[in-house]
Amino acid sequence: MVCDPLGFEIVDCVFTRREQDVRGVVGQDSVYLFGHVAIEDAKIAILGLTYRPGVKEIRASPAISISQELSELNAEVFGIDPLLDSFEEFDLQPIEQDTLYEVSVDGLILVTPHEEFERIRWTELDDPAVIIDGRASLEDLETDSWIYTIGSGK
């Protein structure tokens, strides 16, 4: 289902400027966005750390600010990107896509929809409370999790 699980207004956030990304994804109103878990106790995975799909470039990636802000709020942050070998710019623990099934996350944030993410077996995940779709790429996803779309994908 696609919805705003807690009634927060974050629609002004688009994934074009890093300042807006951070305010929209992890700003004041989203401290409890990840469902029943307070942000400081949450385990959150960021999918896609590069600036755009298929390109190994992080220079303007919103995932940098998002990972830093979540870490500053004491969330446990994981990151997955099939193109990257180095994760030094990010404040997170890198994991392989296949290990996502072993990490019980409270929320997922799709920043960059790499083609490899189409192979994620969503029904095998420990249903995260919230999935934030920053590129409108998960509209047809079948899951019991809340999907909150904040980007246009364009």
Side-chain angles (χ1 to χ4, degrees):
M1 66 184 152
V2 178
C3 66
D4 177 351
L6 301 177
F8 294 127
E9 294 296 326
I10 308 180
V11 293
D12 63 335
C13 174
V14 292
F15 273 44
T16 55
R17 292 184 32 218
R18 286 167 36 177
E19 296 80 21
Q20 288 180 339
D21 295 336
V22 174
R23 190 182 76 245
V25 174
V26 295
Q28 277 186 344
D29 290 342
S30 63
V31 171
Y32 297 101
L33 185 62
F34 293 100
H36 59 285
V37 178
I39 198 92
E40 64 269 9
D41 298 323
K43 293 166 86 173
I44 302 165
I46 301 174
L47 302 176
L49 306 175
T50 61
Y51 179 67
R52 55 188 175 163
V55 178
K56 194 175 184 176
E57 175 185 326
I58 63 166
R59 184 172 27 133
S61 172
I64 296 171
S65 298
I66 293 169
S67 68
Q68 291 170 346
E69 187 73 16
L70 286 169
S71 291
E72 287 174 14
L73 292 169
N74 295 317
E76 187 173 357
V77 186
F78 302 93
I80 300 173
D81 196 292
L83 301 181
L84 297 180
D85 298 321
S86 173
F87 297 84
E88 293 174 9
E89 296 286 331
F90 304 94
D91 197 355
L92 51 73
Q93 176 183 345
I95 60 173
E96 296 292 324
Q97 183 169 321
D98 289 341
T99 63
L100 183 60
Y101 309 101
E102 300 164 16
V103 179
S104 182
V105 295
D106 301 297
L108 287 160
I109 302 171
L110 176 68
V111 174
T112 305
H114 291 297
E115 193 175 291
E116 289 84 351
F117 296 152
E118 293 174 13
R119 292 191 292 270
I120 293 176
R121 299 179 310 275
W122 295 93
T123 56
E124 293 181 29
L125 293 174
D126 288 341
D127 288 325
V130 174
I131 299 171
I132 298 177
D133 181 2
R135 298 289 188 210
S137 300
L138 303 175
E139 294 172 339
D140 297 326
L141 185 65
E142 291 191 26
T143 179
D144 290 333
S145 301
W146 286 317
I147 300 175
Y148 187 78
T149 302
I150 60 172
S152 67
K154 298 177 181 163

